[in-house]
């Protein structure tokens, strides 16, 4: 009995139940000669609910638990000396038996006990399927019969159906709660486990972020200080704000107060395009364009700016949140009543003075809200920093937060000569990089801790040392 | 007074300057991506005759299951055949073909093979498997040049660098120039980026197909789950929910979730779906579920706005002629709110399409060299593929390749947004 067949049978059941409900309600109406409370199709739907829902529930139960129950029974039926203690080994044994039972066969001779277990498995599966099918049929038939009998002119079928739909709606909106609970629970468990390894004081007030695991060959767990990550995130955020707030605000003021209609019509959507671009693309932009450009500028000015500095990440992140600040502030400035402007202008204020002294104070709460939205966006961002990881990853020499790095790429010109820069001599320890900065700091802020090692394991090709 | 007017002018001009700076940034942004990405769609390609020498290709046809044979035994025979196939030296075939164009290469088989990307060996093998009749024939084929050759010929590496910093030996570089001059290597539009999955050994034939399928599966899952659930939740909260603790809690939760950084959903997915539910890691199923959870708040909030925009007079009229509340909503409010709901859905899907962070945490940044066939297979997604390519060591090649992938991704997002705008214009109702 394949899943597809079951779905088909269930669909047929739904259709039949609906038709039965329709026919029955029409029959009852004709027979009794009374006006029915509900339209025939609500009776049909009610029959569907009564008959199909329990059957579906039975099937779900079987597909959720049936397999593992049968496996446990087969495993228990094996001769005790043939059951390996190791769970992985058990899986291998079960796989062999399943291959036998499904007729795939196995290479070499099958042991007698394996043959027996395979036969047992097959009989269990067939019985289980038969029982499930019988149960589904019974439940569906009972449901059908029950609603058949219950169809009377007084049956409030519509209310019942609507109630069921409403319960479905409530269940859908409750998913938000489950998601939140899931986030909290998943973080809580891992955090507790993390703090069993790492002293919380070391974590929150440590100044070194240099996590190493036993695989790297060091013993002891140290270097899990949160502060460097936090400072990196903060630094990037401050730079992003320094870029985005003046630009975004001036754009909003210009578009709202000065710009002619058609300029506004073109400029506003053009700037809003920036908000829809995937952040990974910004990361690439930072890596390929902005970083080398800033490094070149720094060279001109005599300042040593690395292409992978927090400055790059900050500038690009600022670019990303310009539209958040400009569009929202624009909307808010437009909402300031015209009377306030007219008053100021009538008293002889210039347009600039009106805006700075009257309009902006009136719009301030909204503007602050827009800026805060931008900040939260900047804090939660992960991918823009990834460019910094790549520059480092290419050489196996990860980078540290800030303007001063041990990275090898001093100038944009360096990117030209293909891969594998001559590796810098030893003594450079693996440092953090921006992906970890942001991701790490983020989940710490949200209360998660142990995710940090997992994050690194998944994202980072752990640099050997 | 004059100072005040000067200040006024200054203020005005700084506003213009801000807009101009922002627009310039947008321009630079798209300009650099197009400039680096577009040339990557054209790759250095060998166009030459390839002779499938029967001396070299000694392999029987693919075994078929025989009657009375157990599947396990057939599998063993099939594995043996694949092993034999693996030993066929397709490199020799390519070497001979190049020697025909470049006689001095005869003594240096290894250097010759450095010219052609290694994936083409498997492409030749697949040709033989698909059509054993090809053995002994000569076919004119297009073979992709090695990524380093492409970089060299396109001038993406400084040609004046000393030999120690070059990726190719002087001999191979000279050959590449020679073959290009004689027209054997041409810069041709390559479909590899669209048709192939990712590859690490054969960089020049690495493509987006795997990531595209992964993204497609995830988008389908997001649409199938987020659309009904999001719309149902929005209907309940907007139309039915009584003012009580439970609905307040739900509303606060949804607004909070909309502000939760996307990476946190990745952590949730890793713990709940992978560790608790034992769903396959790196699969687009888990990715789709995580992205569904991530986009749900967006969809719910936007759908509620769409429902709110339907004037109450519509509902009141329906209720007035005796419809139940559910009937008023399903028969009247929902159809009227449909364009808004569709827009909400498309915005959500576009957001999910461009999301990378959470996918990294559920293992979708893994290197996957095959095109996923079902949502349960390991896969990556388009943005993750961009991330992986941009972190590749051969940056001179993958900077362009990655930008080409970005063009594909942005093209898809633009298309989605265009559909959203078109829908809005088409069904827009003014009350």
């Amino acid at each position: 009995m394949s899943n597809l067949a079951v779905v088909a049978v269930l669909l047929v059941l739904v259709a039949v139940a609906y038709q039965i409900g329709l026919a029955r309600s029409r029959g009852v109406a004709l027979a009794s000669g009374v006006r029915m409370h509900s339209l025939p199709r609500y009776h049909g739907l009610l029959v569907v609910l009564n008959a199909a829902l329990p059957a579906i529930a039975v099937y779900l139960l079987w597909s959720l638990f049936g397999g593992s129950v049968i496996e446990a029974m087969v495993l228990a039926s094996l001769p005790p000396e043939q059951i390996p203690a190791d769970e992985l080994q058990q899986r291998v044994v079960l796989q062999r038996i399943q291959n036998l039972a499904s007729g795939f066969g196995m290479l070499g001779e099958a042991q007698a006990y394996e043959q027996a277990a395979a036969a047992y498995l097959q009989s269990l599966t067939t019985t289980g399927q038969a029982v499930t099918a019988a149960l589904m049929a019974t439940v569906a038939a009972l449901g059908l019969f029950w609603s058949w009998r219950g169809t009377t002119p007084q049956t409030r079928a519509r209310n019942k159906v609507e109630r069921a739909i409403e319960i479905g709606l409530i269940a859908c909106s409750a998913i938000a709660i489950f998601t939140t609970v899931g986030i909290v629970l998943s973080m809580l468990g891992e955090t507790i486990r993390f703090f069993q390894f790492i002293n919380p004081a070391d974590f929150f007030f440590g100044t070194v972020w240099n996590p190493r695991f036993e695989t790297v060959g060091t013993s002891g767990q140290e270097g899990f200080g949160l502060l460097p990550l936090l400072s990196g995130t903060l630094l990037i955020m401050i730079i992003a704000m320094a870029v985005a707030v003046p630009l975004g605000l001036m754009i909003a003021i210009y578009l709202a107060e000065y710009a002619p209609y058609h300029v506004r019509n073109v400029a506003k959507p053009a700037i809003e395009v920036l908000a829809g671009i995937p952040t990974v693309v910004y990361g690439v932009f930072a890596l390929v364009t902005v970083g080398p450009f800033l490094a070149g500028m720094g060279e001109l000015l005599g300042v040593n700016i690395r292409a992978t500095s927090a400055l790059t990440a900050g500038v690009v992140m600022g670019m990303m949140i310009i539209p958040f600040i400009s569009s929202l502030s624009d909307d808010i400035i437009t909402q300031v009543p015209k009377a306030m402007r007219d008053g100021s202008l009538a008293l002889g204020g210039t347009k600039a003075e009106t805006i700075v002294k009257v309009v902006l104070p009136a719009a301030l709460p909204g503007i602050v809200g827009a800026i805060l939205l931008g900040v939260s966006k900047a804090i939660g961002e992960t991918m823009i920093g990834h460019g910094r990881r790549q520059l480092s990853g290419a050489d196996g020499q990860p980078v540290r937060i800030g303007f001063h790095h041990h990275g090898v790429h001093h100038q944009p010109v360096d990117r030209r000569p293909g891969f594998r820069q001559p590796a810098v001599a030893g003594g450079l320890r693996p440092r953090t990089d921006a992906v970890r900065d942001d991701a790490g700091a983020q989940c710490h802020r949200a209360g998660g801790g142990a995710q940090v090692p997992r994050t690194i394991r998944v994202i980072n090709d752990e640099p050997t040392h | 007074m004059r100072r005040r007017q000067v200040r006024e002018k200054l203020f005005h001009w700084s506003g213009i300057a801000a807009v101009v700076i922002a627009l310039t940034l947008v321009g630079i942004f798209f300009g650099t991506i197009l400039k680096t990405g577009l040339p990557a769609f054209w790759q250095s390609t060998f166009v030459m005759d390839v002779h499938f020498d029967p001396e070299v290709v000694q392999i029987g046809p693919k075994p078929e299951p025989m009657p009375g044979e157990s599947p396990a035994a057939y599998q063993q025979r099939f594995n043996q055949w694949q092993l034999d196939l693996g030993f066929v030296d397709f490199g020799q075939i390519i070497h001979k073909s190049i020697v025909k164009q470049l006689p001095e290469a005869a003594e240096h088989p290894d250097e010759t093979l450095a010219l052609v990307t290694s994936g083409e060996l498997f492409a030749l093998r697949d040709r033989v498997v698909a059509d054993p009749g090809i053995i002994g024939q000569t076919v004119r084929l297009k073979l992709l040049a090695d990524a380093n050759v492409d970089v060299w010929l396109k001038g993406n590496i400084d040609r004046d660098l000393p030999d120690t910093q070059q990726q190719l030996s002087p001999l191979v570089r000279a050959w590449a120039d020679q073959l290009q001059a004689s027209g054997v290597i041409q810069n041709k539009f390559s479909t590899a980026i669209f048709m192939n999955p990712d590859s690490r050994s054969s960089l020049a034939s690495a493509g987006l197909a795997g990531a595209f399928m992964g993204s497609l599966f995830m988008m389908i899952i997001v649409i199938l789950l987020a659309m009904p659930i999001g719309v149902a939740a929005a209907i309940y909260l907007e139309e039915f929910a009584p003012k009580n603790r439970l609905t307040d809690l739900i509303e606060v939760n949804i607004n909070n979730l909309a502000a939760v950084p996307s990476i946190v959903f990745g952590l949730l997915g890793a713990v709940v779906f992978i560790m608790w539910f034992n769903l396959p890691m790196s699969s687009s199923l888990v990715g789709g579920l995580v992205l569904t959870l991530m986009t749900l708040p967006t969809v719910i909030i936007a759908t509620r706005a769409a429902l709110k925009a339907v004037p109450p007079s519509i509902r009141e009229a329906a209720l007035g002629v005796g419809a139940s509340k559910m009937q008023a909503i399903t028969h009247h409010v929902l159809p009227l709110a449909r364009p808004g709901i569709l827009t909400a859905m498309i915005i959500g899907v576009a957001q999910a399409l461009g999301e990378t962070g959470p996918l990294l945490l559920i293992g979708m940044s893994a290197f996957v060299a095959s095109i996923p066939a079902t949502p349960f297979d390991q896969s990556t997604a388009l943005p993750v593929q961009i991330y992986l390519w941009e972190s590749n060591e051969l940056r001179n090649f993958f900077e362009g390749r990655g930008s080409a992938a970005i063009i594909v991704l942005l093209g898809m997002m633009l298309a989605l947004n265009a559909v959203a705008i078109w829908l809005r214009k088409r069904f827009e109702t003014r009350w």
Side-chain angles (χ1 to χ4, degrees):
Chain A
M1 203 163 50
S2 74
N3 285 345
L4 220 58
V6 174
V7 171
V9 168
L10 280 174
L11 280 179
V12 170
L13 171 67
V14 165
V16 169
Y18 183 72
Q19 289 303 328
I20 289 178
L22 275 188
R24 169 72 179 163
S25 71
R26 288 208 179 101
V28 168
L30 282 177
S32 63
V34 194
R35 243 177 78 105
M36 301 284 281
H37 170 270
S38 303
L39 291 170
R41 69 187 137 99
Y42 285 106
H43 286 283
L45 286 175
L46 189 60
V47 177
V48 169
L49 286 178
N50 281 338
L53 275 190
I56 292 173
V58 169
Y59 183 66
L60 279 184
L61 280 180
W62 159 253
S63 43
L64 277 181
F65 303 112
S68 43
V69 168
I70 287 182
E71 267 179 21
M73 285 171 74
V74 169
L75 207 56
S77 78
L78 288 178
E81 69 275 8
Q82 300 290 355
I83 304 179
D86 183 27
E87 199 169 325
L88 272 175
Q89 295 291 323
Q90 288 183 7
R91 287 240 60 90
V92 173
V93 170
L94 275 176
Q95 188 61 50
R96 280 174 72 88
I97 294 171
Q98 268 160 9
N99 281 352
L100 264 184
S102 64
F104 184 82
M106 59 167 74
L107 292 177
E109 274 304 302
Q111 307 273 338
Y113 78 92
E114 282 179 328
Q115 298 279 17
Y120 184 52
L121 173 68
Q122 216 159 13
S123 76
L124 271 183
T125 315
T126 354
T127 329
Q129 281 175 350
V131 168
T132 313
L135 213 58
M136 282 169 71
T138 324
V139 176
L142 276 180
L144 270 181
F145 177 69
W146 190 53
S147 28
W148 169 273
R149 274 204 26 203
T151 307
T152 62
Q154 291 81 37
T155 314
R156 302 167 74 85
R158 199 199 68 220
N159 305 43
K160 283 182 182 165
V161 170
E162 288 182 353
R163 185 72 205 145
I165 295 177
E166 209 181 318
I167 289 172
L169 296 183
I170 294 177
C172 284
S173 36
I175 285 182
I177 295 182
F178 289 125
T179 311
T180 312
V181 171
I183 288 177
V184 172
L185 278 187
S186 60
M187 302 239 171
L188 211 64
E190 298 290 302
T191 312
I192 291 168
R193 206 190 308 168
F194 177 69
F195 281 135
Q196 282 168 351
F197 293 111
I198 312 294
N199 184 356
D202 286 349
F203 174 68
F204 286 110
F205 303 108
T207 52
V208 179
W209 173 256
N210 184 13
R212 281 164 293 160
F213 304 96
E214 266 102 281
T215 49
V216 188
T218 51
S219 58
Q221 309 272 356
E222 53 183 16
F224 281 93
L226 173 67
L227 289 182
L229 310 185
L230 213 55
S231 75
T233 308
L234 276 181
L235 188 59
I236 292 177
M237 196 188 81
I238 291 170
I239 297 170
M241 287 293 114
V243 172
V245 170
L247 266 180
L249 214 52
M250 280 317 289
I251 291 171
I253 291 172
Y254 178 75
L255 289 183
E257 300 283 335
Y258 288 100
Y261 180 72
H262 56 270
V263 171
R264 191 187 146 93
N265 257 3
V266 175
K268 203 175 175 187
I271 292 172
E272 278 168 358
V273 164
L274 287 176
I277 290 170
T279 49
V280 67
V281 179
Y282 279 111
V284 173
F285 183 61
L287 177 74
V288 176
T289 311
V290 179
F293 173 76
L294 286 178
M297 290 290 287
E299 202 160 296
L300 280 183
L301 299 173
V303 191
N304 192 5
I305 304 177
R306 303 272 189 261
T308 53
S309 64
L311 188 62
T312 309
V315 167
V316 176
M317 201 171 280
M319 182 177 156
M320 182 186 80
I321 53 182
I322 285 175
F324 289 90
I325 296 180
S326 72
S327 280
L328 289 174
S329 304
D330 179 21
D331 293 345
I332 288 150
I333 291 174
T334 337
Q335 279 168 17
V336 173
K338 198 165 183 309
M340 291 178 72
R341 283 186 199 103
D342 292 346
S344 164
L345 291 173
L347 287 173
T350 64
K351 209 163 178 184
E353 286 164 351
T354 308
I355 293 166
V356 174
K357 296 195 176 137
V358 178
V359 178
L360 282 191
L364 197 63
I367 291 175
V368 171
I371 293 175
L372 283 182
L373 184 76
V375 173
S376 70
K377 193 88 186 151
I379 293 180
E381 199 35 68
T382 328
M383 294 314 296
I384 288 189
H386 86 273
R388 305 210 282 142
R389 178 209 161 204
Q390 294 153 3
L391 278 185
S392 58
D395 311 302
Q397 292 298 338
V399 200
R400 193 165 50 111
I401 296 169
F403 290 12
H404 305 287
H405 289 295
H406 299 295
V408 204
H409 295 275
H410 300 287
Q411 311 150 12
V413 207
D414 273 4
R415 293 191 295 108
R416 288 274 136 161
F419 62 26
R420 291 288 171 213
Q421 291 279 330
V424 170
L428 294 180
R429 293 222 301 237
R431 300 275 181 172
T432 181
D433 61 65
V435 179
R436 284 191 250 167
D437 299 351
D438 289 351
Q442 193 51 50
C443 64
H444 301 317
R445 267 184 352 99
Q451 280 76 26
V452 175
R454 166 162 319 119
T455 311
I456 297 157
R457 238 176 282 137
V458 177
I459 315 181
N460 213 7
D461 321 304
E462 192 67 49
T464 42
H465 173 49
Chain B
M1 189 64 213
R2 250 188 80 196
R3 259 203 6 238
R4 283 173 63 195
Q5 274 171 350
V6 168
R7 222 180 285 156
E8 159 76 28
K9 275 259 167 340
L10 218 64
F11 195 70
H12 189 165
W13 278 103
S14 62
I16 294 180
V19 174
V20 169
I21 289 175
L23 290 181
T24 319
L25 282 179
V26 177
I28 293 175
F29 183 84
F30 284 106
T32 46
I33 286 172
L34 286 179
K35 194 173 139 263
T36 47
L38 281 182
F41 287 111
W42 281 264
Q43 279 183 268
S44 301
T45 313
F46 281 85
V47 185
M48 58 181 183
D49 291 326
V50 176
H51 177 58
F52 288 87
D53 194 342
E55 301 271 303
V56 182
V57 192
Q58 291 176 335
I59 184 84
K62 186 174 167 183
E64 298 294 332
M66 288 186 297
E69 184 186 36
S70 86
Y74 166 67
Q75 190 68 42
Q76 194 188 27
R77 214 152 52 85
F78 183 70
N79 289 348
Q80 183 58 45
W81 177 77
Q82 280 191 317
L83 195 67
D84 294 342
L85 191 65
F87 277 116
V88 173
D89 186 4
F90 286 100
Q92 210 179 332
I93 291 180
I94 291 183
H95 178 226
K96 282 182 178 166
S97 309
I98 293 182
V99 167
K100 250 182 250 163
Q101 313 288 339
L102 195 76
E104 61 265 42
E107 305 294 311
H108 308 278
D110 288 349
E111 276 86 352
T112 317
L113 283 184
L115 284 166
V116 180
T117 193
S118 60
E120 295 296 359
L121 302 182
F122 303 111
L124 291 185
R125 186 194 65 189
D126 292 344
R127 245 170 225 279
V128 171
V129 172
D131 176 21
I134 207 172
I135 299 172
Q137 291 183 359
T138 304
V139 191
R140 196 169 185 79
L141 290 181
K142 281 193 263 181
L143 303 176
L144 286 176
D146 187 75
N148 281 312
V149 173
D150 187 60
V151 168
W152 168 258
L153 290 178
K154 277 185 184 160
N156 283 340
I157 189 167
D158 191 344
R159 288 190 160 221
D160 299 329
L161 284 172
D163 284 350
T164 45
Q165 290 191 12
Q166 291 284 0
Q167 297 303 309
L168 299 169
S169 66
L171 196 59
V172 176
R173 278 178 282 160
W175 286 350
D177 285 337
Q178 218 175 321
L179 286 170
Q180 191 184 32
S182 64
V184 177
I185 300 183
Q186 299 169 5
N187 199 21
K188 289 218 161 222
F189 186 81
S190 159
T191 51
I193 192 170
F194 302 111
M195 307 304 285
N196 292 352
D198 194 13
S199 169
R200 259 183 206 168
S201 57
S202 167
L203 301 176
S205 60
L208 283 175
F212 179 84
M213 284 312 287
S215 275
L216 189 70
F217 283 133
M218 289 198 293
M219 292 310 103
I220 292 174
I221 292 171
V222 167
I223 291 173
L224 286 184
L225 290 179
M227 173 92 131
I229 296 178
V231 172
I235 291 175
Y236 179 72
L237 293 176
E238 194 59 37
E239 306 282 347
F240 289 99
K243 258 285 182 230
N244 63 21
R245 282 254 180 97
L246 178 71
T247 50
D248 277 354
L249 182 69
I250 292 176
E251 285 201 26
V252 169
N253 259 316
I254 288 175
N255 291 333
N256 271 340
L257 285 179
V260 167
S262 57
I263 194 107
V264 176
F265 287 98
L267 298 175
L268 169 80
V271 172
V272 174
F273 295 127
I274 294 177
M275 280 170 57
W276 293 356
F277 291 173
N278 270 328
L279 290 177
M281 192 167 164
S282 310
S283 62
S284 35
L285 176 72
V286 176
L289 290 176
V290 167
L291 291 181
T292 302
L293 289 183
M294 193 194 78
T295 44
L296 258 185
T298 317
V299 174
I300 292 176
I301 291 171
T303 307
R304 285 186 69 175
L307 290 174
K308 215 177 262 169
V310 177
S313 55
I314 305 269
R315 296 181 188 86
E316 282 153 15
L319 295 179
V321 295
S324 73
K325 197 156 183 188
M326 190 70 79
Q327 286 168 328
I329 288 162
T330 50
H331 296 173
H332 301 284
V333 178
L334 272 188
L336 287 172
R338 195 173 46 201
I341 294 173
L342 282 176
T343 317
M345 199 54 226
I346 292 174
I347 291 171
V349 170
Q351 186 196 0
L353 181 63
E355 199 52 67
T356 326
L359 301 183
L360 298 181
L361 296 193
I362 53 168
M364 290 191 78
S365 66
F367 166 70
V368 180
S370 56
I371 300 177
T374 69
F376 295 93
D377 294 342
Q378 296 197 330
S379 70
T380 56
L382 279 177
V384 181
Q385 188 67 64
I386 293 169
Y387 168 80
L388 289 173
W389 278 359
E390 292 287 343
S391 27
N392 193 289
E393 292 164 328
L394 188 53
R395 304 233 356 225
N396 303 14
F397 183 71
F398 274 103
E399 219 166 83
R401 201 81 163 173
S403 297
I406 288 176
I407 292 176
V408 173
L409 178 67
L410 286 184
M412 284 171 70
M413 299 191 65
L414 277 181
L416 276 178
N417 280 313
V419 171
I421 291 170
W422 179 76
L423 279 176
R424 197 154 50 187
K425 284 254 151 37
R426 171 110 206 267
F427 295 105
E428 201 165 42
T429 333
R430 295 233 169 254
W431 312 106

